[in-house]
Every structure is written in structure tokens, then in C-alpha cells.
């Protein structure tokens, strides 16, 4: 099958849909690895127990 010249592969995106392949293509040289940021309450936080008790109390009611 020949290329349909849709221009998706030339857009420079890290992922695009190829009409010729009828599939998504991931361009590995443009794909950036993003680390998951962990936010929220942790056991090391001084207010962790207060927050945990408060949320448990709200759930029970």
C-alpha cells in the first residue's frame, strides 16, 4: 500500500494515526518519558493521622 500523504507523520508529534497502516504510530525519538508525580498525604506528613481520621469519620457518616 502506498502513503496517502495525509501529513500526520510529518507533524512532528510523538504519536499519530497512520491512515495507510490503519493504526496508531508512536515516534520513539520524539516521545518523552514523564515521571509520575506522587502528591497527596503520606505517612511521613505530621498531619497524616489527623487527615486520615477526618476522612474516615466522613466515610462512616
Amino acid at each position: 500500500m502506498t502513503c496517502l500523504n495525509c501529513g500526520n507523520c510529518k507533524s512532528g508529534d510523538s504519536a499519530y494515526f497512520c491512515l495507510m497502516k490503519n493504526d496508531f504510530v508512536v515516534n520513539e525519538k520524539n516521545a518523552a518519558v514523564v515521571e509520575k508525580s506522587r502528591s497527596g498525604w503520606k505517612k511521613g506528613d505530621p498531619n497524616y493521622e489527623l487527615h486520615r481520621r477526618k476522612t474516615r469519620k466522613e466515610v462512616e457518616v
Side-chain angles (χ1 to χ4, degrees):
M1 197 179 253
T2 60
C3 182
L4 300 175
N5 294 324
C6 63
N8 288 345
C9 58
K10 296 175 183 142
S11 65
D13 293 333
S14 60
Y16 60 90
F17 185 78
C18 181
L19 294 172
M20 182 190 79
K21 297 177 184 176
N22 197 23
D23 196 14
F24 286 95
V25 177
V26 177
N27 191 354
E28 304 213 357
K29 57 185 164 186
N30 288 349
V33 176
V34 178
E35 292 292 326
K36 181 179 177 182
S37 64
R38 294 189 164 254
S39 61
W41 294 95
K42 297 199 172 37
K43 290 186 179 181
D45 193 333
N47 295 323
Y48 173 79
E49 277 298 316
L50 295 173
H51 182 264
R52 186 184 69 80
R53 289 179 186 157
K54 182 179 176 186
T55 55
R56 285 183 60 94
K57 203 178 279 187
E58 290 173 357
V59 170
E60 291 174 2
V61 174

